[in-house]
Every structure is written in C-alpha cells, then in structure tokens.
Amino acid sequence: MAVESTLPTPVRTPASDKDAKALQFIEEMTKNADSVQERVLREILGRNAETEYLKRFSLNGATDRETFKSRIPVVTYEDIQPEIQRIANGDKSPIFSVHPISEFLTSSGTSAGERKLMPTIHEELDRRQLLYSLLMPVMNLYVPGLDKGKGLHFLFVKAETKTPGGLLARPVLTSYYNSDHFKTRPYDPFNVYTSPNEAILCVDSFQSMYAQMLCGLIMRDEVLRVGAVFASGLLRAIHFLQNNWKQLAHDIATGALNPKITDAPVRECMRKILKPNPELAQLVTMECYEENWECIIKRIWPRTKYLDVIVTGAMAQYIPTLEYYSGGLPMACTMYASSECYFGLNLNPMCKPSEVTYTIMPNMAYFEFLPHGSSTSCLVDLADVEVGKEYELILTTYAGLCRYRVGDILRVTGFHNAAPQFRFIRRKNVLLSIESDKTDEAELQNAIENASLLLKEFNTSVVEYTSYADTKQIPGHYVIYWELLVKDSAIAPTDDVLNRCCLQMEESLNSVYRQSRVADNSIGPLEIRVVENGTFEELMDYAISRGASINQYKVPRCVSFTPIMELLNSRVVSKHFSPDLPHWTPERRR
Ligand code: AMP
C-alpha cells in the first residue's frame, strides 16, 4: 500500500511552564555548547584528580583540555578491561571515579562473547532522567493534546546478576526502570503510560508483555501513542498479539486473568484494572481474527498519533514492516543513548526516519570526535565538527570513562545553535543484528569454524559462506549461506548433522544473541541454507560485472542487496534450522 506520513504541523508554543523551562534549558545548553563542554571536562577531571587512572597519566590535577588531550590516551573497552575486572572483583579503591561505582551496566556490545560491563555512579541516574525530561516538551511542540490520553509503551527489564565483588550488573534500562527516578516519578499528564510499573518490572518476559498488552487493550480508547524503545521491540509486541489475542480477548470477556500470569504484583495490579468487558473482547476478536494484519495498530488503537520507536541505525530494516502494521503512522525517534552515556535527543521528532538527526547535549559528558579513518591524534571537540563529515564518537564520562571509543559512526548534518546535529550512520564492526544483538565478522567466522568441525567426520568442509539478517518474519533470524565441499558423497552430512551445525553456530555466538534466543524469544532459530557448488563464483562474477576488481574481490560476509539475494536463493539446495535453544544463563562465562 502507498504510505504517506501525515505529519502534524508544529504548534511551536510550549505546552506548559514546565515545558518552557525544559526548552529553555535546551537552548542554553546548545547556545553555549563549547563552554558547557569546557565546564563538564573541568568538573570531571577536578573531581577525579585523585583516581588511579588519571594519576597514572600524570595529569597532576590539570583540568584543561590541552593537558587532558596531550596526556590521556584514546582507549577501547579491551584496553581498560583489567581495571573493570578489578572493580567487578570487589576493588573499591578509586580507580576511574572518586564516587563509588554503584553498579555495572551491561552493554549490548560484547567483548570475548560477553556483554561489556560499564561502571556507573549513582548520580548518572539524574543525568538520564534529565534527558528523558526533555523529550515530551519537544514532542508537545509538534503533537498537541498528548495530555488527553496515554502512551502504550512496551518497556521491559531483563535479568540481573552480581559480579564476584557483589556489584549488580544489568542493562541500563533495567537499572533505570528499577530506580526511584522511574518508579516514583511525579505525575505528568503528558507522559502517562498504560503499563503499570508492576508489569514493566516483571522479569518474566512473557508475563510482562502479556500484562502490558492486556492493559493496552483495556485502555485502547485512551492510547495516543504506541511505542517501544527499539522498532524490534514493538514488532515483537505485535507478534505477541498475533499469538495471544484469543487468550487476551478471553480475559477481557470474563474479567479473569490468564492463570499463566503467576507473578503476584502483576496479578494484584491487574485485579484492579481487568473487569469483564464482552464488547471490547468482541472488538479485539474481530480485528485479530482476520488473516490481514495491515493497519492493525490504527484499527485497535484508533487515536494513535505516532509510533514512539527508534528506527535509525540497525533498526531501519524494520521501517517497512512497521509502516504496514501502522498504516503509515509517523515514527518518532526521540533519543540517542547508550549504557556508557545518554547522548542527546531529536529536536524534530516528527521528521521522516531518513532525516532523523540527534543533537548531543553538551552537559551529559565530554565528547570528542575522531574523523572517520584518521589517527587518534586528530580528535576534534563537539563545537568544532564540520558539516558533512563522519566521525567516531569518543567519550569522557562523570563515571570515569576517559576518551573511550563508543564505536558509533555519526555524520554531522547541521547545527542547532552552536551544537552539532548528527545522523547515526552505523556501529563499527557490526555484521548482523536482529535486535540488540551485534555480531561482528570475527564472531561469525568463529561460529562457522566451530560448526564446521561437525562436518569433519563426513569428509566435508565449508568452502564459502555469507550471511543475511532475515527480518521478514517476526522474530527475525540469522540466515547463513554455505557452499560445501563434500569429498565423499557416500557419507555426505545428513539433515540432522546440518541442523546440529545451526545449533553449534548459535552456541558460539555472543551472550546477547543467546539471551535474545532463550530469554526474550526475540530472535528465531538460526538457518543454514546450503547452496549449489559454484554459487560463490557466480557471486564474484556478478560483482566483477558491476565493476569490482578481480584482485581485490572479497566475499561479502553479509548480504542484503536484492539481486545478490535472488542469486543466492535461487541456488539453495537445502535449508536447515537450529533444532534447539543454545545455552544461556544470566551468569557470565568470564
Ligand atoms: P547499549 O549500550 O547496549 O544500550 O547500546 C547502545 C548503542 O545502541 C549505541 O552506541 C548505538 O550504537 C545504538 N543506538 C542507541 N540509540 C540509537 C539511536 N537512536 N539510533 C541508532 N542507534 C542507536
């Protein structure tokens, strides 16, 4: 269907005094971007002067940019991992920060197969809350009347663990939703969720989703915006509705909660919300009964003005599917954030996804930018980046990360006052991603090597491979194309062996992938498609016919270009799926 986004016209006056203050704050920060950055660096270096890390580089209490830049090296996670491990093991001395490390935030980026551990301090919660508090005031400029209803936002927490030294390790959103900043947030008529805290804070992903969806259905007439943090999460919610609408409609019709919901706080809060409503149950049944799910969001929640969901970066692959389910509702990407730091917000949230730019808020941390492809001696400051150029983001945080490479590549598109605005281009070294998983080339290669060990006894080897993130169905899954060399066709690997190869690959992938497979069910079983002999040579011929050099040709390890996909798919001789779930527990392997 043709999708035309009907973007509301900005009303452009603050919706309340509180909004006016927030917008004023954004103006002040962005007008004074450089001096704010100078102050932030001074504060960070001043308070952390006595830390082991800064003393190691003989900063001697200096807080100016020049000394900082000349003495402190640019680092990756691996460079500081020994110190991080010491903190995880219980060393409470001021290594990175004089403020005690309150917990570790587990990033979706991995190191040696495990989530990276980002040390944080308690006051960082205030900074995160501050950035959140700016989002609705900006949105209210564009979409009036958001105080006349609620947001159906699917928000989730994940399992927590403790490090050997006893610190909590959990994802940043799990930390935030469990904080008083979130749980006891003051009432704001512009930011009311249909999901009760009890449902959001339930660790069981099925029960949490079930309760949130049920509340969304019960309050359907009040819902003005539908969202999740990332596009993949919202699609997962729609898929959940597809699988569970009968039971949900039954609960609504009878007023009795599904017995599978056993979490006591969730049951208790649903007792107050769920009342028999046969009329609503019938409506849900009527809408969900049909095979056709086009526009389902608008049909079930007819007052929805926009989708609140990030569709930039790796999430862009979901835009067509979301357009299909929402009937072309605008998609608002409101913020750009990470475990290390919340960076900034989109000041024009109702723009098209392809035009989204994020304005980094200079008060959040000290930011530097490495021109893409340059050496680490050429870093530039936030206020000095140039329009049109691409940079890697480098971060110095209040929690003590110093000149840390985040791994995101951003392009400057313009300025808001003196603060640059960035388009998210990509995350470095990510080959495959379905949701928060990020699989790089080395991990894929390692997984292929491990799986191909199973082929040895069949005198078979993998001669070439490539991969594809298939997100046409929900949940999406990894597809690996294999060209095999079967040296003795009498003992060629059976279906069962190739299925086990799929599982073996999954076992070799990082913990974020395995958690998504096992705990969240947000990635489907990995698939191997065996292609005819000679397929990869054809692929090379095709690339050369399009101008690639024979000398320099390398097999792409991930593909998405339609003609290449068509070629590969037309040569498939067999398809195999992982027969089981890989192993995953919240505990870290190392
Ligand atoms: P994590 O530390 O696991 O929360 O992941 C943070 C990473 O997610 C960032 O460094 C980005 O690569 C990505 N990310 C976060 N927000 C956005 C956004 N608005 N658009 C695109 N990518 C994003």
Side-chain angles (χ1 to χ4, degrees):
M1 74 182 253
V3 179
E4 270 290 305
S5 287
T6 42
L7 300 179
T9 334
V11 289
R12 294 212 184 273
T13 48
S16 65
D17 283 356
K18 196 168 140 241
D19 278 17
K21 274 196 193 133
L23 297 169
Q24 182 59 31
F25 178 77
I26 295 174
E27 288 306 287
E28 272 165 28
M29 289 296 121
T30 53
K31 275 183 185 153
N32 303 304
D34 197 46
S35 56
V36 173
Q37 281 283 277
E38 200 165 6
R39 170 177 61 77
V40 166
L41 184 65
R42 219 174 30 241
E43 281 174 12
I44 294 174
L45 299 182
R47 62 152 72 169
N48 286 335
E50 291 305 312
T51 56
E52 178 184 320
Y53 194 75
L54 291 185
K55 284 204 323 213
R56 182 184 307 165
F57 297 105
S58 310
L59 210 58
N60 302 330
T63 60
D64 61 293
R65 286 178 181 177
E66 228 167 87
T67 318
F68 172 71
K69 288 180 187 223
S70 65
R71 307 232 172 118
I72 307 292
V74 174
V75 293
T76 62
Y77 182 81
E78 283 68 26
D79 294 324
I80 55 170
Q81 199 168 23
E83 284 79 14
I84 291 195
Q85 201 54 54
R86 275 171 53 204
I87 301 171
N89 290 344
D91 189 335
K92 293 198 167 54
S93 64
I95 297 176
F96 292 124
S97 162
V98 286
H99 288 228
I101 300 302
S102 52
E103 60 183 310
F104 279 110
L105 303 176
T106 53
S107 142
S108 61
T110 53
S111 174
E114 291 293 335
R115 286 172 179 271
K116 291 177 183 167
L117 289 175
M118 294 300 164
T120 190
I121 54 177
H122 192 261
E123 68 169 45
E124 279 294 299
L125 279 167
D126 299 336
R127 271 183 209 98
R128 287 178 209 126
Q129 188 181 41
L130 174 69
L131 194 69
Y132 281 127
S133 76
L134 305 177
L135 305 183
M136 286 316 287
V138 172
M139 189 55 86
N140 291 336
L141 290 178
Y142 292 86
V143 186
L146 289 173
D147 54 340
K148 307 288 183 294
K150 296 183 177 174
L152 166 53
H153 273 242
F154 295 95
L155 306 176
F156 300 95
V157 295
K158 291 197 181 196
E160 309 178 338
T161 45
K162 283 215 164 139
T163 66
L167 281 172
L168 269 181
R170 53 190 181 176
V172 62
L173 292 174
T174 300
S175 160
Y176 189 75
Y177 299 148
N178 273 299
S179 72
D180 286 340
H181 290 67
F182 179 78
K183 284 197 288 194
T184 56
R185 61 196 181 277
Y187 175 77
D188 174 356
F190 290 93
N191 203 10
V192 182
Y193 296 133
T194 53
S195 299
N197 286 357
E198 290 83 346
I200 295 170
L201 296 176
C202 173
V203 183
D204 181 296
S205 65
F206 174 86
Q207 297 189 48
S208 173
M209 177 77 92
Y210 193 93
Q212 296 195 54
M213 185 61 82
L214 192 52
C215 292
L217 293 172
I218 294 168
M219 297 174 220
R220 77 180 275 269
D221 291 333
E222 294 173 77
V223 170
L224 298 182
R225 53 203 167 98
V226 175
V229 177
F230 288 111
S232 53
L234 183 52
L235 286 171
R236 211 173 115 212
I238 295 166
H239 189 56
F240 186 91
L241 183 61
Q242 281 175 328
N243 287 337
N244 294 283
W245 63 264
K246 278 189 191 144
Q247 181 68 43
L248 287 157
H250 176 267
D251 291 11
I252 296 171
T254 58
L257 186 61
N258 181 350
K260 279 195 191 149
I261 309 304
T262 53
D263 184 89
V266 173
R267 284 204 77 85
E268 176 55 22
C269 85
M270 290 311 297
R271 200 173 52 79
K272 295 176 205 140
I273 297 170
L274 180 63
K275 302 279 175 288
N277 185 345
E279 212 177 299
L280 176 61
Q282 202 184 356
L283 183 138
V284 171
T285 304
M286 247 174 49
E287 295 300 352
C288 300
Y289 183 75
E290 294 209 12
E291 286 285 286
N292 180 5
W293 275 59
E294 193 170 358
C295 280
I296 192 74
I297 296 180
K298 262 195 190 162
R299 285 193 270 139
I300 296 197
W301 296 283
R303 290 178 68 203
T304 310
K305 294 172 187 250
Y306 67 94
L307 303 182
D308 193 333
V309 76
I310 291 174
V311 287
T312 42
M315 293 294 142
Q317 60 188 329
Y318 295 109
I319 294 172
T321 321
L322 276 180
E323 282 175 338
Y324 174 82
Y325 286 126
S326 73
L329 282 170
M331 296 170 210
C333 302
T334 56
M335 69 188 281
Y336 169 42
S338 77
S339 315
E340 295 90 333
C341 173
Y342 279 23
F343 305 120
L345 74 170
N346 178 359
L347 295 177
N348 184 13
M350 301 310 279
C351 68
K352 289 194 196 124
S354 58
E355 286 165 10
V356 171
T357 61
Y358 298 103
T359 304
I360 288 187
M361 289 301 286
N363 58 308
M364 299 301 287
Y366 180 64
F367 300 101
E368 292 174 276
F369 296 85
L370 174 62
H372 193 39
S374 306
S375 88
T376 51
S377 58
C378 317
L379 266 57
V380 287
D381 278 318
L382 181 69
D384 299 331
V385 295
E386 290 175 48
V387 174
K389 286 202 174 160
E390 288 186 9
Y391 298 91
E392 186 186 334
L393 181 60
I394 314 283
L395 199 61
T396 298
T397 64
Y398 284 89
L401 291 177
C402 273
R403 311 195 91 192
Y404 176 86
R405 296 176 84 147
V406 175
D408 288 350
I409 309 292
L410 310 173
R411 183 186 302 139
V412 185
T413 55
F415 279 77
H416 177 77
N417 297 321
Q421 301 187 291
F422 296 92
R423 181 150 302 151
F424 183 92
I425 300 298
R426 64 189 169 85
R427 174 118 180 159
K428 265 180 22 188
N429 303 333
V430 174
L431 202 62
L432 287 165
S433 174
I434 298 287
E435 53 130 44
S436 55
D437 54 303
K438 300 172 176 68
T439 297
D440 68 22
E441 205 166 319
E443 286 173 319
L444 182 65
Q445 169 76 27
N446 177 48
I448 301 265
E449 280 169 14
N450 286 345
S452 46
L453 291 178
L454 300 180
L455 302 176
K456 252 190 167 166
E457 60 177 295
F458 302 95
N459 219 351
T460 296
S461 55
V462 178
V463 281
E464 271 307 353
Y465 69 89
T466 190
S467 66
Y468 170 64
D470 186 345
T471 52
K472 278 189 226 64
Q473 279 164 8
I474 313 165
H477 72 290
Y478 288 11
V479 176
I480 316 296
Y481 292 91
W482 266 10
E483 186 171 320
L484 297 178
L485 178 62
V486 183
K487 289 175 201 134
D488 179 357
S489 56
I491 53 160
T494 59
D495 264 6
D496 177 53
V497 171
L498 288 159
N499 293 345
R500 282 194 287 118
C501 287
C502 296
L503 182 57
Q504 185 57 46
M505 282 198 68
E506 295 198 301
E507 294 287 10
S508 311
L509 292 172
N510 63 54
S511 74
V512 180
Y513 175 91
R514 285 178 285 113
Q515 182 173 10
S516 301
R517 276 281 283 132
V518 177
D520 306 341
N521 195 19
S522 53
I523 300 182
L526 182 144
E527 178 182 1
I528 290 177
R529 293 185 190 162
V530 177
V531 294
E532 285 169 18
N533 284 352
T535 303
F536 279 81
E537 203 156 324
E538 281 188 70
L539 212 67
M540 174 160 130
D541 291 342
Y542 178 79
I544 289 164
S545 75
R546 287 175 52 92
S549 137
I550 303 187
N551 293 326
Q552 285 161 270
Y553 176 78
K554 292 175 206 71
V555 176
R557 291 305 179 203
C558 182
V559 292
S560 57
F561 186 50
T562 310
I564 291 192
M565 302 300 308
E566 282 170 0
L567 192 155
L568 283 167
N569 286 330
S570 68
R571 303 291 187 273
V572 172
V573 289
S574 62
K575 294 181 177 186
H576 310 272
F577 288 91
S578 190
D580 218 330
L581 290 172
H583 288 94
W584 177 81
T585 62
E587 306 314 319
R588 300 167 66 83
R589 283 181 180 170
R590 50 190 294 283

